[in-house]
Amino acid sequence: MTTIPPVQRHLLVRIPVRTGRIVGFAGYYAWEFLKANAAVLTEILRPRPRATPAVIAVPLRCRRPVEIASMANLISLTPGTLTLEVALDPPTLYVHGMFAHDVDRFLADLRTMEDRLLAAMRPVDSERERR
Amino acid sequence: MLQSLAGHVLIGIGTFLVAAAAVGILRLPDIFNRTNAVAKAVALGVSCILAGVLVLIPSPVTAVIVVLAIAAQMFTAPIAGYAVGRAGYRSGAPMAATTYRNDLASRDDRS
Amino acid sequence: MLNVVLGVLAVAMLVAIGRTIFGPTPADRALAVDFGFAIFVAGIAVLAVRLDEPALLDLVLAATLVGFLGTVAVAKLVEHVAGREAR
């Protein structure tokens, strides 16, 4: 496989793009956090519990320790999902989810979050961003 | 007047969340569900109460303390949750019967 | 209003203490300690408004950090003791 030479846009383009991604991630995460809080709250106050807890292995595309730690902490901070174990090789989180009856959906949600997190954490147009 | 109302509403929401967490800690079936529900609901609840206090006592010193305390809550809550969850798992706390899948079981390194 | 809030927090604190005493597993106790500290922080903050004593807010910061360190220490201890018993 040939490596594609990096084509970097001008710094004046990259700075607003990166800022937008970081702000966008903060907004997205705040919204998800509130939604998850509401879901857990209704589950607690529901007369008949409906939670379907499960421990699910979540493979990560994060590579640097900072990225793995951020991902694990953000998952833990969201109500309803809790990181139980971290495996480093290959990077995998073992996540306890309270509403995990649909495993594919659960993994897809975490994957969306990871995409947005990595977009915010990695420099725009860098080698690392394309991996 | 409006300020006082806003502050009391924030404190009320926060107290409701803390009370709900207390119900959760009594009702939920296993340690993992309890950690899940309680540790984070409490982080949001305490943050709400602190924000309400800031609205009721507006001063630069209060603002600094409240912002620092909320930041500390948000940073430490997941770490404490992870520590408790891992301790529960490694000390062999029983899982609720409704837990239908456990990918960790195949790793089998409770140590 | 604030008196009601303090009353609710007191009941929640009783729940936390109950879990600390009767918690079926040691990890439950660690969680209850965390919960108790959070209620303490909230209570101090409300008390600062109720007594009009902003100086109490300094305690909020200290209690947040002590609560976090206490929880992690207890959780580590639980894990360590369980690991030793398994051997």
Side-chain angles (χ1 to χ4, degrees):
Chain A
M1 210 176 90
T2 55
T3 51
I4 309 152
V7 187
Q8 287 202 328
R9 281 170 284 177
H10 193 271
L11 195 64
L12 284 179
V13 179
R14 278 183 281 146
I15 289 175
V17 169
R18 180 89 184 271
T19 313
R21 284 179 186 175
I22 292 173
V23 173
F25 178 74
Y28 158 82
Y29 187 76
W31 177 239
E32 291 290 315
F33 181 65
L34 291 179
K35 263 202 315 196
N37 259 300
V40 169
L41 202 64
T42 47
E43 172 62 29
I44 290 175
L45 300 177
R46 196 195 299 281
R48 300 202 158 276
R50 262 197 354 203
T52 44
V55 180
I56 291 169
V58 181
L60 293 185
R61 282 157 301 145
C62 305
R63 285 298 172 268
R64 283 189 304 161
V66 189
E67 293 162 358
I68 298 172
S70 307
M71 191 66 197
N73 275 339
L74 287 171
I75 287 178
S76 280
L77 186 58
T78 317
T81 55
L82 176 71
T83 311
L84 284 185
E85 287 280 350
V86 181
L88 289 180
D89 196 23
T92 307
L93 297 181
Y94 291 86
V95 179
H96 181 277
M98 268 177 92
F99 311 101
H101 58 95
D102 187 347
V103 177
D104 291 333
R105 176 105 190 276
F106 185 80
L107 284 174
D109 284 349
L110 290 182
R111 195 157 252 274
T112 316
M113 190 165 110
E114 194 185 4
D115 280 337
R116 285 177 162 256
L117 173 71
L118 290 184
M121 284 189 80
R122 293 177 169 174
V124 177
D125 292 342
S126 67
E127 276 293 313
R128 264 193 286 131
E129 197 193 11
R130 296 207 183 76
R131 255 186 261 154
Chain B
M1 186 58 219
L2 190 66
Q3 188 190 13
S4 163
L5 182 71
H8 282 94
V9 166
L10 275 172
I11 291 183
I13 293 174
T15 311
F16 173 69
L17 285 170
V18 173
V23 176
I25 211 172
L26 285 177
R27 280 194 63 201
L28 292 173
D30 65 1
I31 173 70
F32 306 104
N33 279 311
R34 285 197 280 263
T35 313
N36 245 331
V38 170
K40 299 64 174 278
V42 162
L44 187 63
V46 171
S47 300
C48 271
I49 291 182
L50 287 173
V53 168
L54 173 61
V55 174
L56 287 179
I57 317 179
S59 82
V61 180
T62 322
V64 170
I65 291 177
V66 165
V67 168
L68 276 179
I70 291 181
Q73 280 285 338
M74 289 297 171
F75 273 103
T76 57
I79 301 171
Y82 168 63
V84 171
R86 203 172 80 146
Y89 187 76
R90 295 208 172 169
S91 63
M95 279 203 185
T98 47
T99 310
Y100 75 100
R101 174 172 161 172
N102 183 357
D103 286 351
L104 262 178
S106 56
R107 270 188 35 163
D108 197 37
D109 62 349
R110 288 191 184 204
S111 56
Chain C
M1 166 72 189
L2 290 182
N3 289 334
V4 178
V5 166
L6 285 172
V8 172
L9 290 178
V11 174
M13 189 59 123
L14 285 180
V15 172
I17 292 172
R19 265 285 174 219
T20 320
I21 297 173
F22 301 111
T25 66
D28 272 305
R29 299 197 168 100
L31 179 63
V33 168
D34 186 32
F35 187 43
F37 262 107
I39 298 168
F40 178 75
V41 168
I44 291 290
V46 175
L47 215 53
V49 180
R50 171 79 177 72
L51 301 178
D52 203 11
E53 196 88 58
L56 277 178
L57 282 176
D58 291 350
L59 266 181
V60 164
L61 218 46
T64 307
L65 298 176
V66 172
F68 166 64
L69 292 178
T71 310
V72 173
V74 175
K76 272 280 162 205
L77 182 70
V78 168
E79 202 181 311
H80 186 72
V81 168
R84 248 202 344 214
E85 276 169 1
R87 252 187 275 130

